[in-house]
Every structure is written in structure tokens, then in C-alpha cells.
DNA sequence: GCCAACGTTGGC
DNA sequence: GCCAACGTTGGC
């Protein structure tokens, strides 16, 4: 089983939305590295749900991968937020996975406190300039962040 | 294949 | 809103 982190701006899609919807397609991702990580995901993988571009930014909940990667249909919809006219329907460029709500953390584990712990220095999330919206996390770090919320 | 210009992300 | 970082695009 692998562990991941999913970023979302809460005014776009928050952990509360995730809880209400129970499951959602993680579509709209238009970054090759993030897409490749989604292609590696398998049903049952765990994920941290992270709120970005908000104060404070941080981990707010957990999710489970409930469907392996499948074509992201929003790329072919001119009315979607991220249409990609260059993507060929016979060989779609962008994929998404389905996520299912797991838990809401009892408090936000902020980026700031994660940065302050030396144990997290190799976490891609805390390395400067990180703009990846989907990234892998070690089980160790995943467990530790959940523990910090308690 | 290089690289400048440009657009987007995300913390603050 | 600012700005640094960095991915993408496109001309050559």
C-alpha cells in the first residue's frame, strides 16, 4: 500500500465538501508529474487531504483511493475549468483517480508545524518551491502527521 | 535541444 | 496583492 498527499484550495473543494460527497473524482490535474503519480495509485492506497492557499495551510483529513486512474473527462469539455484541446480522445493525456472520504482530523496539522520538525525535512511538501498538487508520502510521515492531530 | 517569455501556484 | 519558484510553450 502506498501513501499520498492531495492538495486542494478549500474555497474550491474542501474536506467538508469531500465529507459531504463521500467520494469524488480527483480531476482537473494538469501536471505530468502529478498525473504519473495518480497512474501509480491503486485502490486502497491512503491519502492526506491538504488545504492550500489558505490560512493556515495544512493537513485536514484523510482519504482512500477507491478507483485506479481513469481518463479525466473534463479535458474534453470546453466548458470545464481546464479543457485541453490538444488531448486526443483515443489516447487521453490526463487521468484522475476516485477518492473516498476517510476521516476528518480533529485539528489542522499546519504546514508551519510540519516544517518545524526535522523528521519531515525530506517530505516533498516542505521543500521550497513545491507546487505539485499530488505527491507521495512515506507511511512514517503519514502516521506521524495523523498522530500530531491527536 | 536551447532558452526566453509567459502563466500558474502557493505561502505569506 | 506580492513575489519567488518553476512548469510549459514556442521560436529558432
Amino acid at each position: 500500500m502506498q501513501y499520498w498527499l492531495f492538495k486542494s484550495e478549500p474555497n474550491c473543494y474542501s474536506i467538508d465538501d469531500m465529507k459531504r460527497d463521500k467520494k469524488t473524482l480527483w480531476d482537473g490535474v494538469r501536471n505530468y508529474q502529478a498525473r504519473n503519480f495518480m497512474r501509480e495509485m491503486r485502490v486502497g492506497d491512503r491519502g492526506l487531504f491538504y488545504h492550500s492557499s489558505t490560512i493556515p495551510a495544512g493537513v485536514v483529513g484523510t482519504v482512500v483511493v477507491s478507483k485506479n486512474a481513469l481518463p479525466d473527462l473534463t479535458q474534453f469539455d470546453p466548458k470545464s475549468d481546464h479543457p485541453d484541446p490538444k488531448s486526443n480522445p483515443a489516447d487521453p493525456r490526463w487521468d484522475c483517480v476516485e477518492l473516498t472520504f476517510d476521516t476528518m482530523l480533529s485539528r489542522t496539522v499546519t504546514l508551519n508545524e510540519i516544517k518545524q520538525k526535522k523528521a519531515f525535512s525530506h517530505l516533498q511538501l516542505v521543500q521550497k518551491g513545491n507546487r505539485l498538487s499530488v505527491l507521495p508520502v512515506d507511511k512514517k510521515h503519514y502516521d506521524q502527521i495523523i498522530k500530531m492531530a491527536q
Side-chain angles (χ1 to χ4, degrees), chain A residues 8 77 81 108 110 112:
Chain A
S8 184
D77 178 1
D81 291 336
T108 301
T110 67
N112 193 35

Side-chain angles (χ1 to χ4, degrees), chain A residues 2-60:
Chain A
Q2 297 185 89
Y3 297 81
W4 309 92
L5 181 142
F6 298 88
K7 278 187 197 169
S8 184
E9 299 188 17
N11 57 10
C12 177
Y13 195 84
S14 70
I15 189 70
D16 297 293
D17 297 323
M18 182 84 239
K19 186 179 184 185
R20 181 199 61 217
D21 295 345
K22 297 189 176 64
K23 56 187 183 177
T24 193
L25 287 176
W26 207 251
D27 55 19
V29 174
R30 297 293 181 266
N31 171 285
Y32 289 104
Q33 218 183 330
R35 180 205 65 184
N36 292 343
F37 285 140
M38 289 201 289
R39 288 182 174 174
E40 289 177 31
M41 292 179 192
R42 293 296 174 262
V43 171
D45 282 1
R46 306 275 153 175
L48 297 170
F49 195 103
Y50 176 91
H51 280 173
S52 66
S53 296
T54 189
I55 298 172
V59 176
V60 291

Side-chain angles (χ1 to χ4, degrees), chain A residues 59-75:
Chain A
V59 176
V60 291
T62 62
V63 293
V64 177
V65 175
S66 48
K67 269 186 195 168
N68 291 356
L70 65 156
D72 173 354
L73 296 179
T74 67
Q75 67 195 299

Side-chain angles (χ1 to χ4, degrees), chain A residues 6-7 28 31 33 43 49-50 76 86 93 102 104 107 109-110 113 115 121 123 127 132 136 141 146:
Chain A
F6 298 88
K7 278 187 197 169
N31 171 285
Q33 218 183 330
V43 171
F49 195 103
Y50 176 91
F76 303 120
K86 290 184 192 163
R93 180 180 291 185
D102 181 24
M104 187 93 84
R107 69 177 191 87
V109 177
T110 67
E113 52 185 309
K115 276 181 176 168
S121 61
L123 195 64
Q127 283 163 4
L132 259 188
H141 293 147
I146 288 173

